[in-house]
Amino acid sequence: MRSYTKSIALYEKSRKHMAGGVSSNIRYASVPVPLFFARGEGARLYDVDGNVHIDYVLGNGPAILGHAPKKVVDAVAASLVEGQVFAAQHPREAELAERLSRLLPGAEVVRFATSGTEAVLMAMRLARAFTNRSKILKFEGHYHGWSDQAFISTKPSLNEAGPADAPVPVAGSPGMPPSVLDDVVVCGWNDLDLLEQALERHRGEVAGVIMEPVMVNGGAIPPLPGYLEGVRDLCRKHGALFICDEVITGFRVALGGAQAKYGVTADLVIYAKAVAAGFPLALVAGRRDVMDTLLDKGVMHGGTYNGNVQSMAAALAALDILEADNGAIYRGMEACGQRLMEGLTLLGAKHGLAMLVQGMPAIFQTFFTSAAAPRNYRDSMATDRDAMLSFHAALQEEGVRVQQGGRWFLSTAHDKPVIDETLAAADRAMAKMVRH
């Protein structure tokens, strides 16, 4: 058994001066306590007790190049002497904006922010101002940050969620005012008929339809063939903006994100996480006429740390690596991710476990279910969560770190030897599950 004595002691100490002992509620999800890490390098994290973890959490997605990638770290280190925040513009902002407009589908202009939650709020405000409508339609199981306006029906219990064909908006946290639910329409995902019905029920009221183009937070569930195109067409028909939340999929599933992968362009797109390879940076990109409401209609968006020097330097350095040789690094990462997905599937069969591996090579989900692959949030809720928690605990004991819910992120540092080491650890972990 691994020892976590120092992490336990540090957690008890931190609880005295930090609310809950953590800086994000999501970080509670570690056993035996939220773990403390001393450093990260490549595909591995090193905790304060000396345990080494092959890391498939990767900061919940940002570390696309692994931990502490040298070229990015060097670029940021060189930028430190230039200053950090100016409350003004600097040349790297313009350089990065021009580059992103070239790389990202439909990105006529961009506006920088610091976190995905902020960027989501900006996109929703833009949609409301542009359309002069108040409601936002979102989908069950999709996560768009923790703000009052967005943290709705992200993980509702099914006894609260209402009927599948007309879900009830459910606040995701105490402290959210009931009034925010009046401005949100909730719909089941991956079903165009349900979306059309919802838009008809709220005809002329919906400013924007926001979604993860791949339902990452609900289980790395891909859109059905033709679904994204259908959503785009329904938005046009009903005068609503199509908003893609690519906070996770952007720069991860492809250089141009899920839009490029699936060949569908949204009106507004939100990016964060992998864009700066671990440094805080988010942005909204999209149609010039919509983005121009920031100036033409005086739509307010601000932020002291938006476009800060270090994040701009990190993003430019990361793009140098991701763009090199026509995106060759993605082909290598996808090959390794496919090897891992197929290997886990074979191991599940070997040990007689009803395990399903679903998603894309750069981000996928392990489910425990004998049913068909989930197509939406309610399908994913029917899988065996207890088995997933057991697998998570067994993997951690074997030196592999994944999210408790079963989501795996890959980086370019997860090469073939790391994948083979992971599969050997997963083999041992599954054997333990079967024994116990």
Side-chain angles (χ1 to χ4, degrees):
M1 292 287 290
R2 290 186 159 206
S3 171
Y4 299 104
T5 303
K6 292 182 179 178
S7 271
I8 292 169
L10 279 171
Y11 181 60
E12 290 304 316
K13 180 180 179 181
S14 70
R15 289 176 64 190
K16 296 177 182 177
H17 305 288
M18 294 172 59
V22 295
S23 295
S24 168
N25 281 21
I26 295 169
R27 298 175 192 173
Y28 285 129
S30 293
V31 290
V33 296
L35 299 183
F36 284 71
F37 293 96
R39 67 184 183 92
E41 182 178 351
R44 301 177 196 273
L45 281 176
Y46 301 80
D47 70 29
V48 294
D49 286 282
N51 301 306
V52 182
H53 308 248
I54 301 177
D55 185 25
Y56 290 95
V57 178
L58 297 174
N60 293 319
I64 186 76
L65 303 175
H67 294 287
K70 187 176 188 308
K71 289 184 179 179
V72 175
V73 170
D74 287 349
V76 172
S79 76
L80 287 170
V81 296
E82 300 170 9
Q84 286 71 50
V85 290
F86 305 144
Q89 288 55 250
H90 57 94
R92 283 201 187 92
E93 274 186 291
E95 180 185 354
L96 181 59
E98 180 181 4
R99 197 160 171 181
L100 292 170
S101 293
R102 172 173 56 82
L103 289 172
L104 301 175
E108 295 177 356
V109 289
V110 307
R111 172 64 75 91
F112 294 117
T114 303
S115 75
T117 291
E118 296 171 57
V120 165
L121 290 172
M122 188 205 319
M124 293 195 300
R125 180 175 287 181
L126 287 169
R128 288 179 170 124
F130 184 78
T131 63
N132 291 313
R133 298 175 177 181
S134 62
K135 293 186 184 292
I136 299 293
L137 188 149
K138 61 104 52 196
F139 296 88
E140 279 188 320
H142 290 226
Y143 177 72
H144 305 295
W146 59 274
S147 72
D148 288 350
Q149 293 88 342
F151 195 44
I152 296 169
S153 295
T154 299
K155 288 187 177 180
S157 64
L158 296 188
N159 62 343
E160 291 181 290
D165 60 352
V168 177
V170 179
S173 170
M176 292 173 59
S179 59
V180 297
L181 302 178
D182 297 335
D183 293 326
V184 175
V185 178
V186 178
C187 186
W189 194 62
N190 246 347
D191 188 320
L192 289 174
D193 289 339
L194 292 181
L195 176 58
E196 182 150 35
Q197 291 167 22
L199 289 170
E200 286 290 349
R201 283 196 300 271
H202 299 276
R203 177 174 284 275
E205 297 179 314
V206 176
V209 173
I210 188 170
M211 69 159 68
E212 299 177 69
V214 178
M215 195 171 116
V216 174
N217 285 287
I221 300 173
L224 293 173
Y227 180 69
L228 296 181
E229 295 91 333
V231 173
R232 176 200 60 202
D233 294 344
L234 284 172
C235 286
R236 289 175 179 172
K237 175 182 174 181
H238 288 270
L241 296 184
F242 181 22
I243 307 169
C244 270
D245 181 344
E246 293 224 47
V247 165
I248 294 178
T249 54
F251 303 94
R252 170 163 286 283
V253 302
L255 187 59
Q259 283 190 113
K261 185 174 184 66
Y262 291 104
V264 177
T265 302
D267 299 304
L268 292 174
V269 189
I270 302 142
Y271 299 92
K273 295 192 186 289
V275 62
F279 285 82
L281 176 61
L283 62 124
V284 175
R287 286 169 38 186
R288 182 178 295 276
D289 58 339
V290 180
M291 299 292 289
D292 278 351
T293 59
L294 289 164
L295 178 64
D296 298 342
K297 291 190 175 183
V299 172
M300 174 56 188
H301 166 252
T304 298
Y305 297 101
N306 295 348
N308 71 79
V309 175
Q310 279 66 59
S311 291
M312 298 293 101
L316 288 167
L319 288 177
D320 285 342
I321 298 169
L322 295 174
E323 276 195 271
D325 193 19
N326 196 29
I329 204 163
Y330 283 99
R331 295 189 288 277
M333 183 168 61
E334 288 186 0
C336 288
Q338 193 65 40
R339 180 183 182 87
L340 179 56
M341 292 176 71
E342 292 172 356
L344 289 169
T345 299
L346 291 172
L347 287 173
K350 170 186 170 181
H351 291 283
L353 295 169
M355 190 171 79
L356 170 70
V357 183
Q358 175 171 289
M360 292 172 286
I363 177 169
F364 63 86
Q365 176 88 19
T366 44
F367 288 109
F368 287 87
T369 179
S370 55
R375 295 170 50 173
N376 54 43
Y377 171 71
R378 297 191 184 213
D379 288 349
S380 72
M381 286 291 287
T383 61
D384 189 338
R385 299 293 172 132
D386 290 338
M388 186 58 240
L389 290 174
S390 296
F391 187 41
H392 170 275
L395 282 171
Q396 182 171 299
E397 281 301 306
E398 296 296 334
V400 176
R401 182 177 184 244
V402 301
Q403 289 186 327
Q404 267 199 355
R407 192 153 59 250
W408 301 59
F409 289 99
L410 257 75
S411 77
T412 59
H414 289 79
D415 57 15
K416 184 177 178 294
V418 171
I419 299 302
D420 290 345
E421 186 179 345
T422 302
L423 290 172
D427 193 6
R428 297 190 297 270
M430 290 183 198
K432 289 180 180 177
M433 286 181 67
V434 172
R435 286 199 302 272
H436 297 295

